[in-house]
Amino acid sequence: MIYTKSSFYVGVIAVVLLMSNFINSSKNEANDTRINPLIHSQADSLDYFADNGFGKPVQSIQHPMGEYFKGVTYVAYQGPHEDPYVCSYNHQTKEWKGPFKAGISALGKTPLSTDPDEIDNHGRPALLVDGEGYIHLIFGGHGGHRGLGANTLGTMGRGEQMHVVSKSPYDISEWEQLRNVSPLGTYSQWVKMSNGTIYLFYRHGSHRSNWVYQKSTDNARTFAAPVSILKYKKAEGHAFTSDSWYAWFQEGANNSIVSTFNYHLCGTGENHTSLRLNSYYMKMNTETDTWESIMGKKLDMPLTKESADELVQIYDSKGKSVRLGTIRSDSKGNPHLYFRNNANISYANWESDKWNFNEVLGQKFKFEEADILIANTNEIRFLTSSIMNNTAEIAWWQADENGKNWTKETPLVTSKNGKYVMSSLIRNAHPDARVIVAEIPNTPMAVDSKMYLIGDHGPVKRFGF
Ligand code: ZN
């Protein structure tokens, strides 16, 4: 680049403006919705679409974090102070919009956004585009702080589950809050059915709380009261210990919702660990809002630990650690799911009358996150974030023979500078934009990360503004 005198002065002015902007944003950051744009020139072509990912900006349990709707992919992530940020990408014009701050989270405000010990990460946004094109986010909840009143379905936690919606359809620049769901939720998950009915699933409080859903038939403008489906209670045979759950929900075939979940024996004080056990599966018929086992046995809700073990447990981990994965249903209604099983990744699928279990990644891969894509009943693909030989990568794994053998494809993106965390698959995804990924730098105490939108051809580029 050749510097001229005028370009030098433009540069100086730009730096001064940026500095004053920085000072202002430090002062008013908490309630200012203006965002500094990425600093790059018109000629740049960036692999990332934003550089203000914060903490662990994306994960699969708050989901979906993105949706493809009428030619545009909308994505959300956790930004500075754990506030929710939104960008959009038009696949035809290749134009990016955002990031826009869509609301102010009750989490992540004290004392400093740069202190990793204070990062809660529970308030990550889940995104939904309703039938009229309005964009919705749910975010900021970790069970609800005590100022929100009593929790009749569990115990209080932190933060506040908040629901915001774009002021106009297809426009992510302005947002307003809707106070129409319980503020006591965490692990918020949207399930938008093909018929337009919207279910919001979440845990209604901290560990010792029921999992519930709220249902809307008017594009998330009003919701029915929470309905409990997984019950917390005193654990049988354990003093001062409770039954607790982690769950994941997704639309299945034929107007159903499928769920995979695992169990947490929630101890008190020094007896508390993060250990989670076993794997379970159940299905909801949304025509009757009733739940059943894989064998079609009706379930009494909310489900207790004893009933879950008897009727819907698919894997007994025998006291060993299991971590929740995701679930998808194929066109015949057969579920496919995965879970972390110690160091391995177990893939389970239902075939005729039994569950098949197979391992996906070999031991040489350090696993971070994954989701399952079912292109049709014969093609099962697994999009993973993992680390091998100190190189982080996002890659597809392809199954043959019902998941007995898995082959890794050429990675879509790799990094030696950081690790990748990824969202679940974007809803209704365009093949060019399957997943949202944050690259968390390897540097100690790093809290800011670059955000990528990655599809079958690698990252979606962002050109100059
Ligand atoms: Zn617990």
Side-chain angles (χ1 to χ4, degrees), residues 4-30:
T4 62
K5 204 169 181 180
S6 61
S7 75
F8 172 76
Y9 285 120
V10 169
V12 169
I13 291 164
V15 168
V16 169
L17 283 172
L18 281 169
M19 298 248 328
S20 67
N21 213 344
F22 174 77
I23 292 159
N24 281 334
S25 68
S26 302
K27 217 186 304 177
N28 302 319
E29 202 171 353

Side-chain angles (χ1 to χ4, degrees), residues 166-188:
S166 62
K167 286 189 178 173
S168 308
Y170 316 106
D171 178 0
I172 60 171
S173 65
E174 290 189 286
W175 299 80
E176 60 187 327
Q177 187 177 358
L178 300 177
R179 296 180 188 274
N180 58 5
V181 295
S182 169
L184 306 185
T186 188
Y187 299 125
S188 320

